Amino acid sequence: MKNLLLLPLKYLLGLLGILLISCAPILFTPGQLFDFRLFFLTCWQVLKELLNPAAWQLNYRVPGTFDTIDVSFSDYFTGPYLYSMPILIASLLLALLLSFILAVMAMLSKGHAKPLLLQTTKVLESFPDFSYIFLIQIAVVQFYAVTGLLVLNFYSLGDALVYLAPILCLSVLPTLLFFKLFILLFEAEWKRPYFDLAKAKGLGNAEILLKHCTSNVLKSLFFQSKSIVWLTISSLLIIEHLFGINGILYYLRSDFSPIGITFILVTVFTPFFLFYSLAELLINKEGTERNAIFGKFNLSILDVIQLRSLISRLFRRKEVLNPIRRFLSFFGKRLKITIPFLIVLGLFSISVGYYLFFDDQVGQTQYLYADDGGMLSGAPHPPSSELPFGTDPYGYSIFQQLLVGIKYTIAITLIIATVRVVAGYVFGFIYVFYLNNKFRKAVTSIADGMHFLPLSLLVYVLLVPILIGHGEWTTTLTERLAIQVLIMALIVLPITMSSIGNEMNETLKKDYVQSSVLMGGSLIWILIKHINPQLWPKLVLNWTQHVVQVLQMFIHLGILSIFVGGAKAQVDSPRLIPEIYELSGMIAISREAFLTQQFWMILPPIFVFMLLIYCFNTMAEGMAENKQVPAVSKNEEVKSIQQATDLESPNFARLKERNQLG
């Protein structure tokens, strides 16, 4: 009953977050940068309009014209909203069904069928989500060429609405993710005692899997499905753009006002929030609780004796060299991590070398001529001996753009992922040790609400006023890059803070950590000697996952013409001129390549993104399999227990000192 009463409060916290995000572009408007007074005035104005149902309307731009009309809530809801949401829900249901069937087949298969399915899943997962549109289109076109039957329509024109093609394309990625999740949960169930008991009674694997394991994994699947839904909602926006669907994204880009952004985000957030919140109440979800021992002891931040011990250990040669040796040994013995790491390093080095020796030159070829002077072709040129990967519509070499852009994509991606994890770690520490239960629940509510908002859309909303220039820039390239990194990193801060904080909290529940507290361990001592060794492998794994997510987000932003470092709009052309060549900028012509079937313009950057995603996914998988990373030994927990109970440790020295003073 108490949780039911808290449901409206959680919903209001989610609405507050949406309101702040929707008005945040005001802070980055040229000439009014970080004008917080205007920001809060805008928030107040939007809040008043939300409380007035008569003001609930959007401005809709008529396709093919510059005319706009006002659209009421009922028209928006019955039109584009009920066009987009059924596609999203049908895709998730189809993905859930297909993934369950594939998982059951994999678990019941014998021989190499299961490893083959898992390896295929990992390869397909490396494809950018929008690339499935091209693959399915190529298959449909080839089928049409052979049979004369057009089984799918790929573009929405006028009243001819498309459903099947976007549903199929949108369901691919969640199918792969649900499949992997089913496999992990089923394998965990097969290790439980009841499985051996059922086998002893004569039950077959299929019967145990369907009657017993399935019912046990559904609860875990439900709670872990939030992240999959989160990614699928972001992918929906790209599917809408490429299929020409006048849905949620079209209305957002047509009415890019604070009230319009708030209104649309609320309509996306509300149904998923209600579904998950009510379902959690029905199955009685238990939240992560703060460890009780830290509510009873006032721990000092750092003890002098412990500080002396940490410094002495730091400057011991053995303590300095051991992490380095373990790091080199780790990469030397684990090819599953070493090979993809070297591939990424090699790509980055080649791109840097191109800058050092050729100054990032990108050639432009408008026309190709024959030996007799006749014109062979105009841009875009297909691949040839002179142009290995062809050119884009403006004649710029795709191969040279790749050589220039790889280093920027890799470097900025790694920076964003690192800022995310470091900020999550710092605020996770505050979350665990310094926030009371009310604030912790508020942060958790905001983090849960973030799972029901399309992340790419939020970043798009915040970056538009920064990265699209009209006339002269009011900010430098360095400033724009810094702001973009901070926005793309801190937009997920509530989620990273909550997840890393909960991981810290799990470590605090271990007996040897509580013993260290009882013996006088300070916060810094507990953090360095007990929490960090257990948390470090998970942080590195989390970091690689954020790298993959940032790469996917760059692809989404590139399709929406948001480029790294910004781009200038032109008066006489719809083309945006990017400030730097970067891989996501090459994705901006995806829709043109999609319609004209000039796939050579888009396949090279897609392949590079695939390779990067595959490499980081493989590294994450290798780290998860080994359950350790550099600088973390197998006996770390045993050493922590020994340190907590060592009579000569700083903890016991402090305890003796307390007894003497008492």
Side-chain angles (χ1 to χ4, degrees), residues 242-308:
L242 294 178
F243 278 99
I245 296 174
N246 292 338
I248 297 173
L249 175 64
Y250 182 83
Y251 270 69
L252 177 72
R253 301 181 76 181
S254 296
D255 184 6
F256 199 75
S257 62
I259 182 61
I261 297 171
T262 304
F263 183 80
I264 291 174
L265 290 180
V266 168
T267 60
V268 176
F269 167 77
T270 300
F272 288 99
F273 173 84
L274 293 177
F275 170 75
Y276 274 93
S277 297
L278 294 176
E280 288 172 0
L281 291 176
L282 291 176
I283 60 180
N284 191 25
K285 177 187 177 183
E286 296 180 1
T288 304
E289 297 179 357
R290 185 175 182 177
N291 197 293
I293 193 168
F294 291 94
K296 298 178 181 179
F297 288 84
N298 293 322
L299 302 178
S300 61
I301 296 179
L302 183 62
D303 184 82
V304 177
I305 300 176
Q306 294 169 5
L307 176 61
R308 193 181 304 130

Side-chain angles (χ1 to χ4, degrees), residues 145-259:
V146 174
T147 65
L149 297 176
L150 184 63
V151 295
L152 287 176
N153 289 322
F154 284 89
Y155 203 73
S156 176
L157 292 174
D159 296 331
L161 305 181
V162 293
Y163 282 96
L164 184 57
I167 288 174
L168 290 177
C169 294
L170 187 59
S171 65
V172 176
L173 182 59
T175 298
L176 300 175
L177 297 175
F178 274 127
F179 170 73
K180 291 177 63 177
L181 184 55
F182 266 121
I183 292 295
L184 290 174
L185 295 175
F186 279 142
E187 288 180 342
E189 288 298 315
W190 278 26
K191 296 178 182 179
R192 295 183 181 274
Y194 78 83
F195 179 80
D196 294 329
L197 178 62
K199 291 285 289 185
K201 289 185 176 182
L203 298 179
N205 288 344
E207 188 175 2
I208 299 173
L209 187 68
L210 295 174
K211 289 187 177 180
H212 302 286
C213 295
T214 300
S215 59
N216 291 336
V217 305
L218 288 180
K219 183 176 179 180
S220 297
L221 183 80
F222 170 78
F223 290 121
Q224 298 185 53
S225 66
K226 289 182 180 180
S227 297
I228 300 176
V229 172
W230 190 24
L231 294 174
T232 309
I233 294 175
S234 292
S235 298
L236 171 66
L237 307 175
I238 306 305
I239 295 293
E240 284 188 6
H241 178 71
L242 294 178
F243 278 99
I245 296 174
N246 292 338
I248 297 173
L249 175 64
Y250 182 83
Y251 270 69
L252 177 72
R253 301 181 76 181
S254 296
D255 184 6
F256 199 75
S257 62
I259 182 61

Side-chain angles (χ1 to χ4, degrees), residues 565-600:
K568 282 188 176 182
Q570 301 181 81
V571 178
D572 55 349
S573 172
R575 183 191 176 215
L576 295 174
I577 302 178
E579 290 294 297
I580 58 175
Y581 284 104
E582 192 269 337
L583 295 185
S584 64
M586 302 177 68
I587 303 294
I589 57 175
S590 297
R591 190 172 182 178
E592 182 176 343
F594 176 57
L595 294 175
T596 61
Q597 298 187 19
Q598 295 172 324
F599 296 116
W600 75 81

Side-chain angles (χ1 to χ4, degrees), residues 324 326 338 345 397 550 572 576 631 645:
I324 300 175
R326 286 199 295 265
T338 305
L345 182 61
S397 169
V550 173
D572 55 349
L576 295 174
T645 57

Side-chain angles (χ1 to χ4, degrees), residues 361-641:
Q361 295 179 4
V362 177
Q364 185 180 22
T365 306
Q366 291 284 12
Y367 303 101
L368 287 178
Y369 297 94
D371 294 336
D372 59 0
M375 188 177 70
L376 294 176
S377 65
H381 305 290
S384 63
S385 57
E386 297 180 6
L387 300 167
F389 292 163
T391 69
D392 64 12
Y394 308 99
Y396 291 100
S397 169
I398 292 176
F399 179 66
Q400 291 177 323
Q401 289 184 61
L402 289 176
L403 290 177
V404 173
I406 286 174
K407 59 179 173 293
Y408 294 113
T409 299
I410 294 177
I412 297 174
T413 298
L414 298 184
I415 291 172
I416 292 173
T418 303
V419 174
R420 283 184 175 188
V421 175
V422 171
Y425 176 85
V426 173
F427 285 94
F429 176 79
I430 298 173
Y431 173 84
V432 171
F433 290 100
Y434 291 101
L435 295 186
N436 58 33
N437 287 332
K438 291 183 179 179
F439 281 104
R440 285 164 57 87
K441 289 180 180 179
V443 172
T444 302
S445 298
I446 295 174
D448 285 342
M450 290 285 293
H451 284 103
F452 312 129
L453 293 174
L455 183 60
S456 298
L457 177 57
L458 299 183
V459 175
Y460 171 81
V461 167
L462 296 175
L463 290 180
V464 163
I466 304 170
L467 299 183
I468 296 183
H470 300 274
E472 294 297 324
W473 289 107
T474 58
T475 56
T476 64
L477 176 61
T478 303
E479 290 172 342
R480 291 193 299 276
L481 288 173
I483 294 174
Q484 182 174 2
V485 167
L486 289 177
I487 287 177
M488 295 183 67
L490 300 183
I491 192 69
V492 296
L493 181 59
I495 295 176
T496 54
M497 175 174 63
S498 177
S499 61
I500 294 177
N502 288 332
E503 292 290 348
M504 289 183 178
N505 191 62
E506 288 301 313
T507 304
L508 296 178
K509 295 178 181 179
K510 297 182 180 296
D511 292 337
Y512 69 88
V513 179
Q514 297 186 13
S515 299
S516 181
V517 174
L518 289 170
M519 290 181 289
S522 64
L523 286 182
I524 301 301
W525 176 269
I526 293 170
L527 183 69
I528 294 176
K529 303 302 296 182
H530 302 308
I531 294 179
N532 284 352
Q534 301 298 318
L535 189 63
W536 175 248
K538 297 176 182 178
L539 287 179
V540 176
L541 182 60
N542 200 330
W543 179 79
T544 59
Q545 292 169 346
H546 278 293
V547 169
V548 173
Q549 186 187 64
V550 173
L551 288 172
Q552 292 279 13
M553 192 185 305
F554 275 150
I555 295 172
H556 291 176
L557 293 175
I559 293 174
L560 299 176
S561 298
I562 299 296
F563 306 146
V564 173
K568 282 188 176 182
Q570 301 181 81
V571 178
D572 55 349
S573 172
R575 183 191 176 215
L576 295 174
I577 302 178
E579 290 294 297
I580 58 175
Y581 284 104
E582 192 269 337
L583 295 185
S584 64
M586 302 177 68
I587 303 294
I589 57 175
S590 297
R591 190 172 182 178
E592 182 176 343
F594 176 57
L595 294 175
T596 61
Q597 298 187 19
Q598 295 172 324
F599 296 116
W600 75 81
M601 293 190 294
I602 196 67
L603 288 179
I606 288 179
F607 176 77
V608 175
F609 271 112
M610 281 177 52
L611 184 60
L612 292 175
I613 293 173
Y614 182 83
C615 287
F616 282 105
N617 275 335
T618 303
M619 284 190 280
E621 183 180 311
M623 293 171 185
E625 288 178 356
N626 289 282
K627 297 181 181 179
Q628 62 173 0
V629 292
V632 178
S633 64
K634 296 180 179 179
N635 298 322
E636 194 67 56
E637 184 169 335
V638 175
K639 291 181 180 179
S640 297
I641 296 174

Side-chain angles (χ1 to χ4, degrees), residues 79-107:
Y81 184 76
L82 288 186
Y83 184 16
S84 296
M85 294 305 287
I87 292 176
L88 174 61
I89 295 173
S91 300
L92 290 171
L93 293 177
L94 178 62
L96 190 61
L97 177 62
L98 292 177
S99 61
F100 175 74
I101 295 174
L102 291 174
V104 171
M105 292 172 58
M107 294 300 295

